[in-house]
Amino acid sequence: HTHREHTPGAVGSHLCCGMNAAVRAVVRMGIYVGAKVYFVHEGYQGMVDGGDNIKEATWESVSSMLQMGGTVIGSARCKDFRMHEGRLKAAHNLVQRGITNLCVIGGDGSLTGANLFRKEWSDLLAELVQQGLIDEEASQKYSALHIVGMVGSIDNDFCGTDMTIGTDSALHRIIEVVDAIMTTAQSHQRTFVLEVMGRHCGYLALVSALACGADWVLIPEMPPEDGWEEKMCQKLSATRSRGSRLNIIIVAEGATDRHGKAITSSIVKDLVVQRLGFDTRVTILGHVQRGGTPSAFDRILASRMGVEAVLALLETTANTPACVVSLCGNQSVRLPLMECVQMTQQVQKAMDEKRFEEAVRLRGRCICYILFVTCSVANYFLLFDCSLTSFAPDNFNVAVLNVGAPAAGMNAAVRSAVRVGISEGHKMFAVSDGFEGFYKGQIKEIKWADVGGWTGQGGSLLGTKRTLPAKHIDKIAEQMRKYNINALLVIGGFEAFLGIMELLAARGTFEELCVPMVMVPATVSNNVPGSDLSIGADTALNAITFTCDRIKQSASGTKHRVFIIETMGGYCGYLASVGGLAAGADAAYIFEEPFDIRELQSNVEHLTEKMKTSIQRGLVLRNENSNENYTTDFIYQLYSEEGKGVFDCRKNVLGHMQQGGAPSPFDRNFGTKIAAKAMQWISKKLNESYRKGRVFANTEDSACLLGMRRRALVFQPVVQLRDETDFVHRIPKEQWWLKLRPLMKILAKYKTSYDISDSGQLEHVVLNGPKESEAMAAI
């Protein structure tokens, strides 16, 4: 690459977790491509003031940053930059250092300011020449300013991206508090009103309500209709009458009624006390939501976006519009910065003009579907247009079961499926202990209240086993006939995939199996074909990431040390690779990328060189089945021997702690949404296959796997996935995350090639029409 100079800077007044991961990625990727990289401390204020606020960054200056919240280079509001004189000073400071490329991490205000700066750049240089501060040669040499933005905001209020950097970490803080509060509320039979951030955007309130199973939620984009007070109190009373000992109400700080009157947490508390007499407490989370350790999701997102930002800067020309790197589904995209900013501003304008349905639609495809799911699974009286589904008139029987190893988020998926199914007019049946419980007849009807409080529970409350159905097909068919099961929802890992295929193969013999079947992937290993992501994988990644943080911290202040850590995953290297990216690993050994003794030796030598600088700790991850001969013990002994005199080694096998614990907000949210979409598909298929008083479905597309594929949730017939699967090693033949491995190596200072074929291309913001239910339902 040509040598270009560019600057990462965190700008704006608000901080969020994950900014440091973005700064680290920009600095290291910039150095990797041969650029000189500068920090701009204190945001735009540092750019205006110049001096020591603009410093050259080195590889070592971003070490040990991943696990730190906030931003180490500072951030501040800057009145000076809003004035022409301030921007003139900033331009002079950049030209003096030869900087013509800016990477800006902030919200819409920061990014708007950056775009204005870019537009004025030529005039600012001309003015500097006129004042004699720079010469004509410098003006020509630095004639164009290139800008790429990354959105850092806990509110997730920026149009054009599914998730902004910091949002997931903020959800972690909220859910940690809610989970803790629910135990005391349960004990004392209390109602808690929680106020979360979101002055103009209700994303945090809405998703946290979905993730914790709150009774009521109030958000700015969807003010409640007149009379909401009575409806809310009816809902709270109904919850208590079903035996619940607590109520949770979540209020966004910017919530209002239809007339623009603020609905504060204290107003809601007084209302509950006066009308119901419930013992009620208020908790305002405040700036707790901005702090703490970044989640695994935010570290990975920020790292991917940081690298993408550098690639975008390398490809810019004088005619390229300023862009923002965004996340669409599971894919990096580049969007024109001002298109996104203008869309974001249109949302606020629609809210100001009380066009609330329009505001929700402008927010994007994700929030519309979350609103629908929230209506269905919690029965909120949001009065949102739930036209994303049609309630089925027929009372079909639908069975739901968990298959394979437990995964955090399974219970959230079951709860969502049960409640959406009941909302759509079905009778829901729970099967205990997977296919084993199925053939033994461990089947019972499950009702709305039976799944209350399931969202935050880890493991599988239904019970789950690895047993496959083939040997007991006749008994399973008999149970389906006995309970008149019209459709199956299977939530699980690779065994669930194999189980669906075995049921499908037996349709010719047992007519009872000719019913719609859908599988939802749920496994920490993330090894199910047909889906980029599985329920439970995010929780496992967080367990790995936070454990690695602690393990590395244990060596703080001691001599140089390398940790060898073994992760789960079977033959799938997802946890080792992506966990390594999130934790800042130096190497990750996996089955999918064979390695030999020469590579191991090279890694040891690489670490030895790094340890001779200021780097004190090394981290090496190994997938449990990466190689039958190069075991964790072998690698530990090799590193110990070869590193003598430079570093010592310790080893850790993380084991089943990766499967346990409360589900992360992402897994709760993902499980809830994907199960709701699966139930919608079941309703549609039941109506299509109902003929002459019975359900009969034996086509390939009546047995599907619902998975995340790049940008959307997609239903794929399991038969078509057969050719995509390595059945011996229980992994998909192609796995998207392998493209992230070079990124991990680059950030660990390895010289390697980086495949840019998957990098984003400049696109345009696409607004979903009101009837595009399928697009809106995609994540």
Side-chain angles (χ1 to χ4, degrees), residues 68-339:
M68 297 172 67
T71 168
V72 297
I73 62 173
S75 178
R77 282 194 190 277
C78 181
K79 291 181 180 178
D80 294 340
F81 195 75
R82 295 178 185 175
M83 311 299 293
H84 179 78
E85 292 78 10
R87 294 193 291 277
L88 189 66
K89 287 181 184 177
H92 185 218
N93 287 326
L94 295 187
V95 170
Q96 280 183 316
R97 293 162 179 81
I99 298 169
T100 55
N101 294 271
L102 283 178
C103 178
V104 182
I105 311 168
D108 61 334
S110 304
L111 298 176
T112 303
N115 192 63
L116 175 62
F117 190 43
R118 175 181 172 274
K119 282 184 176 178
E120 291 182 348
W121 184 254
S122 297
D123 294 336
L124 292 172
L125 293 195
E127 199 171 331
L128 289 171
V129 171
Q130 190 177 0
Q131 293 179 10
L133 294 172
I134 63 171
D135 56 29
E136 191 64 43
E137 184 184 347
S139 174
Q140 294 298 319
K141 186 177 180 181
Y142 307 118
S143 59
L145 179 69
H146 306 293
I147 286 175
V148 171
M150 283 185 281
V151 191
S153 166
I154 68 166
D155 293 331
N156 202 28
D157 57 353
F158 194 79
C159 293
T161 185
D162 287 354
M163 285 285 271
T164 56
I165 297 167
T167 302
D168 189 69
S169 297
L171 286 171
H172 272 259
R173 302 295 91 79
I174 294 169
I175 295 305
E176 285 163 11
V177 172
V178 174
D179 284 353
I181 278 175
M182 286 177 83
T183 57
T184 184
Q186 184 92 19
S187 302
H188 295 285
Q189 295 194 61
R190 281 182 177 150
T191 295
F192 269 87
V193 183
L194 277 87
E195 183 180 301
V196 301
M197 284 186 168
R199 192 174 299 126
H200 304 296
C201 180
Y203 185 89
L204 286 180
L206 189 60
V207 175
S208 56
L210 197 63
C212 73
D215 296 283
W216 202 266
V217 60
L218 294 156
I219 63 172
E221 292 92 338
M222 255 351 246
E225 296 284 357
D226 294 344
W228 65 272
E229 299 92 339
E230 185 61 34
K231 290 173 181 175
M232 184 185 74
C233 290
Q234 286 174 5
K235 173 68 171 64
L236 299 180
S237 293
T239 303
R240 290 290 180 98
S241 66
R242 287 196 295 265
S244 176
R245 293 173 58 87
L246 78 156
N247 299 112
I248 299 289
I249 302 165
I250 294 185
V251 183
E253 63 178 332
T256 65
D257 63 17
R258 291 266 160 174
H259 308 289
K261 182 183 175 184
I263 303 176
T264 64
S265 51
S266 57
I267 288 173
V268 176
K269 176 201 167 182
D270 293 342
L271 186 68
V272 174
V273 171
Q274 290 165 12
R275 298 204 182 190
L276 299 174
F278 291 171
D279 187 5
T280 307
R281 298 286 189 274
V282 171
T283 299
I284 299 174
L285 272 66
H287 283 75
V288 165
Q289 297 158 85
R290 293 198 185 279
T293 302
S295 66
F297 183 95
D298 271 332
R299 298 186 201 193
I300 296 158
L301 173 66
S303 297
R304 290 176 69 184
M305 296 301 102
V307 168
E308 187 68 32
V310 174
L311 294 175
L313 281 171
L314 288 171
E315 295 168 16
T316 52
T317 65
N319 299 320
T320 308
C323 76
V324 60
V325 290
S326 303
L327 182 74
C328 184
N330 192 34
Q331 190 175 10
S332 301
V333 295
R334 301 176 195 171
L335 298 169
L337 189 152
M338 288 315 295
E339 282 187 24

Side-chain angles (χ1 to χ4, degrees), residues 734-752:
E734 291 188 10
Q735 301 185 85
W736 68 274
W737 51 265
L738 287 169
K739 292 186 176 179
L740 297 182
R741 284 183 60 79
L743 169 57
M744 182 191 72
K745 291 178 181 177
I746 289 167
L747 298 181
K749 212 172 183 178
Y750 282 92
K751 289 180 171 61
T752 184

Side-chain angles (χ1 to χ4, degrees), residues 445-522:
E445 185 179 354
I446 186 165
K447 299 194 174 175
W448 188 282
D450 295 335
V451 290
W454 279 33
T455 317
Q457 299 287 318
S460 168
L461 293 174
L462 283 185
T464 181
K465 294 282 181 71
R466 295 180 183 270
T467 310
L468 293 175
K471 294 179 182 177
H472 312 284
I473 287 285
D474 54 338
K475 292 179 182 176
I476 288 174
E478 182 185 328
Q479 295 297 336
M480 290 190 71
R481 183 168 60 252
K482 177 180 175 182
Y483 289 93
N484 190 27
I485 301 298
N486 305 122
L488 276 181
L489 170 59
V490 183
I491 301 166
F494 204 85
E495 288 86 359
F497 174 65
L498 294 175
I500 289 272
M501 292 190 73
E502 289 179 4
L503 294 178
L504 188 62
R507 276 180 169 177
T509 309
F510 299 99
E511 207 171 85
E512 293 85 354
L513 301 177
C514 295
V515 297
M517 303 175 190
V518 63
M519 177 198 160
V520 168

